[in-house]
Amino acid sequence: MAIVDMTGQRYGRLTAIRPTVKGNNGMRWLFNCDCGNQTETPGYNVRVGATVSCGCKKAEARPAEDRFWEKVTGGDVTQCWAWNGANKDGYGNFNLGGGAWTQAHRFAYEHLVGAIPPGLYLDHLCRNHACVNPWHLDPVTPRVNVLRGQSPTIVASLAGRCVHGHLHTEVGLYVSPDGRRFCRGCIAARRARRAAA
């Protein structure tokens, strides 16, 4: 395969000077960067835009807070502030830089309200997990966070029933030594199924 002559050509902040050696990734080239440094890198990486500087461009990255607010719509403290960036399971994710990520609502809370107390979770009072409005977030214990949730188990428990419909007042609850709660009606039904098998 012929060597692509890049001499004198400009790619991003880099200007090709001369080829150096042929490596595993094709021909390596020596480049002058606009910042004054020289760097050696595979020519292909530069031609396709994977490398655009000697590394100085990363050092000039914009502050995380500036990048964060570009991904938020809303502004009225009574309304949800929508996160328009990356998300996982409905919760916004924000790249802090350097490979570090955080949940978007935590970043907003810590920058506008303050540190989240150790051991506490942020509960979305608005029930909108993509909301980053810190006035919609309440630092609570993990237990309170779960009890405020809307999972079928919690909804049934708050209605005084187990997930299978047994009323807690009629059949009662068994509380194990470690504090877990079990429906006595479900325990009896499970024992009956096992005895019949």
Side-chain angles (χ1 to χ4, degrees), residues 72-169:
V72 176
T73 53
D76 178 3
V77 294
T78 63
Q79 301 296 317
C80 286
W81 297 355
W83 175 252
N84 300 307
N87 77 71
K88 181 176 170 130
D89 300 327
Y91 290 91
N93 279 336
F94 179 59
N95 185 343
L96 297 169
W101 288 78
T102 187
Q103 290 182 313
H105 64 282
R106 293 178 66 88
F107 184 90
Y109 188 91
E110 289 173 345
H111 279 77
L112 295 177
V113 176
I116 301 165
L120 298 186
Y121 291 8
L122 290 178
D123 180 31
H124 285 85
L125 299 173
C126 58
R127 314 307 324 146
N128 176 4
H129 296 161
C131 176
V132 297
N133 182 342
W135 288 273
H136 289 192
L137 303 171
D138 187 22
V140 295
T141 63
R143 183 177 192 282
V144 169
N145 192 39
V146 169
L147 290 174
R148 286 184 179 175
Q150 296 174 327
S151 72
T153 304
I154 295 301
V155 171
S157 178
L158 293 174
R161 296 179 178 273
C162 76
V163 291
H164 299 287
H166 302 121
L167 281 172
H168 292 277
T169 55

Side-chain angles (χ1 to χ4, degrees), residues 9-17 29-41 46 51-58 60:
Q9 293 184 39
R10 186 168 175 78
Y11 302 89
R13 296 182 178 190
L14 299 174
T15 304
I17 300 172
W29 282 76
L30 183 63
F31 294 91
N32 275 335
C33 185
D34 290 350
C35 71
N37 290 330
Q38 286 190 341
T39 187
E40 184 182 308
T41 190
V46 175
T51 304
V52 295
S53 75
C54 67
C56 63
K57 189 171 182 182
K58 282 187 179 179
E60 296 171 5

